[in-house]
Amino acid sequence: MQSGGCSNTLSREATKRRPQSCGCRNRYGNGAGKPERIREVGAGAHNPRYEVVFFDLYGTLIDIRTDEQSETAWQALYDCVCELGADYESVDEMRERFEKLEAREMVHQADRAIVRNGWDEFDILPVYRSLLMNRSEEAEKKLALPQAALKAAWAFRQGSTSMIRLYPGALDMIEALQEAGVVVALLSNAQACYTRPELEMTGLANVLDDVIISSEEKIRKPARDLYMLALDREFVIAKNALMVGNDEANDIIGANSAGLDAAYFRTEISPMSDPPKSEHAVCSFTGADYDGLLKFVLNA
C-alpha cells in the first residue's frame, strides 16, 4: 500500500481496540448473525435521544486519496491477474478487456435493478470474476474463482490508493457513543470488495455494530429506500436515528428524505460544491470534529 508511512499509524490505531464485549448492541449486519448485546444504563444516566448513529465512511471516518486511472493501479492489477493464472499479453490488453466487461456488466445490472429511480448501485466484483475466466484448471485448483476475484480487486484498490488513514479520534468517538448505549452503524456508498478489507485494516470492523454498503444492497445514497432499509435493519424509527456524513446531497438531504436528522462534516474530500455549513443539517462542523459531534449527540 502506497500510504506514505500511514500503514504504521493504522496498525497502532487498530491494535488499541478489540471487539466490544459489552456496552453496545450488535445488530445482525449482512446476515452475519451476530448476537445482540444490550447495554444496561445505570440509574440516573442520560439516555441520548439518538438510539442509532449512522456514519458515512470516506471523508467522515476515513481520509483517503485514490486514482483509478493511474498506471500504478492497472499495473498492480495486471501483476495480480497474471499471478492468478490469467492470460493477458500486456497491461493495455487486460485494461481494454476490463473496460469492455465493465460496460457489459453495467448494462446487465441496470436491467436487473431493484430500484428504478436512478439510485441503483453497481457492483464491480463480477467484473473481476469475468476478467479471470481464462485461467487454467491448475490455477483454479490453487485458488477458487470467488477468492481470486477478491484478491484481484484488492490489488487494484491498493495500487490506486496513495493515502489512507483514520481521522484522529475516530475509534475513541465510536467507543464513547457505544458506552452511552448508542448503536454505531456504517452506511456507505462504496464497493464492498474494496471497503471491507479497509475496515479490517483500520480496525473499524472490530468496533462497528453493523456495516451497510451500497454495492451489497444494490441501492446507493441519497435514495430514501436505502435509508429506510437501514432503519429497518437497526429496528429504529427515523426520529431516533442520526446520519453523519461529509456529502450534503447524499448524507444530509438524503437522510432528511427518510425523516432522519443529519450532522454535516465539511472535510477536504467533501464535494467541492458543498457549502461550509449545511442548512439541512441539525449541526455542521469544520472537519471531522468528533468532540463537537459527541457533545451534540450525548446532550440531544
Side-chain angles (χ1 to χ4, degrees):
M1 175 76 65
Q2 301 175 35
S3 55
C6 97
S7 58
N8 290 336
T9 302
L10 290 174
S11 297
R12 288 195 297 271
E13 288 278 358
T15 54
K16 289 196 296 183
R17 299 290 181 274
R18 293 293 183 268
Q20 301 291 316
S21 59
C22 63
C24 65
R25 292 175 288 173
N26 271 5
R27 300 296 179 170
Y28 289 100
N30 258 355
K34 292 182 181 178
E36 185 175 11
R37 296 177 294 187
I38 301 178
R39 176 181 181 269
E40 295 182 1
V41 180
H46 172 67
N47 287 314
R49 168 188 168 184
Y50 299 113
E51 299 174 10
V52 178
V53 176
F54 295 103
F55 282 89
D56 175 54
L57 183 58
Y58 303 111
T60 302
L61 297 174
I62 287 179
D63 191 14
I64 191 169
R65 303 292 185 276
T66 63
D67 181 2
E68 295 186 352
Q69 302 304 315
S70 71
E71 292 183 6
T72 302
W74 291 99
Q75 184 65 53
L77 178 57
Y78 177 74
D79 292 343
C80 183
V81 299
C82 289
E83 177 188 337
L84 291 168
D87 183 18
Y88 295 100
E89 292 186 359
S90 67
V91 174
D92 289 342
E93 179 193 1
M94 178 212 66
R95 182 171 182 172
E96 181 179 356
R97 178 63 175 162
F98 184 97
E99 290 172 349
K100 287 181 179 179
L101 291 169
E102 183 179 28
R104 186 180 71 183
E105 185 64 28
M106 289 180 75
V107 172
H108 175 68
Q109 291 188 27
D111 288 342
R112 301 170 60 190
I114 62 174
V115 291
R116 298 289 180 179
N117 56 10
W119 302 121
D120 54 302
E121 180 66 292
F122 178 66
D123 181 7
I124 194 71
L125 187 58
V127 179
Y128 290 102
R129 287 200 294 266
S130 296
L131 190 68
L132 293 166
M133 290 297 289
N134 65 359
R135 294 195 306 157
S136 65
E137 290 186 12
E138 182 179 351
E140 178 67 18
K141 289 178 182 178
K142 290 181 180 179
L143 187 65
L145 183 59
Q147 288 71 40
L150 287 168
K151 184 174 181 179
W154 183 230
F156 181 77
R157 179 65 164 185
Q158 288 181 297
S160 70
T161 303
S162 58
M163 188 273 279
I164 181 171
R165 68 179 181 112
L166 279 174
Y167 285 110
L171 298 179
D172 290 330
M173 177 270 300
I174 292 172
E175 184 178 75
L177 288 174
Q178 291 171 332
E179 287 177 349
V182 177
V183 171
V184 179
L186 186 74
L187 182 57
S188 178
N189 281 356
Q191 293 295 321
C193 58
Y194 303 154
T195 294
R196 287 196 176 274
E198 289 169 349
L199 294 177
E200 293 288 345
M201 183 175 66
T202 57
L204 286 168
N206 288 337
V207 297
L208 291 166
D209 294 308
D210 199 0
V211 173
I212 303 170
I213 300 175
S214 61
S215 71
E216 294 177 336
E217 306 302 335
K218 312 303 181 188
I219 317 172
R220 60 189 171 94
K221 298 178 292 185
R224 181 179 182 274
D225 291 341
L226 183 59
Y227 283 101
M228 297 306 295
L229 179 153
L231 293 172
D232 287 346
R233 193 141 116 188
E234 306 311 324
F235 309 103
V236 66
I237 58 176
K239 71 176 184 178
N240 292 332
L242 177 74
M243 178 69 198
V244 182
N246 73 306
D247 184 311
E248 186 181 46
N250 287 337
D251 301 320
I252 312 304
I253 298 174
N256 291 170
S257 73
L260 287 80
D261 286 346
Y264 175 61
F265 284 175
R266 184 56 164 94
T267 61
E268 289 184 3
I269 57 176
S270 292
M272 292 183 64
S273 60
D274 269 13
K277 295 182 179 180
S278 173
E279 63 181 21
H280 305 282
V282 291
C283 54
S284 295
F285 303 95
T286 300
D289 184 354
Y290 299 136
D291 288 340
L293 179 69
L294 279 172
K295 288 179 183 177
F296 171 75
V297 173
L298 299 183
N299 291 292

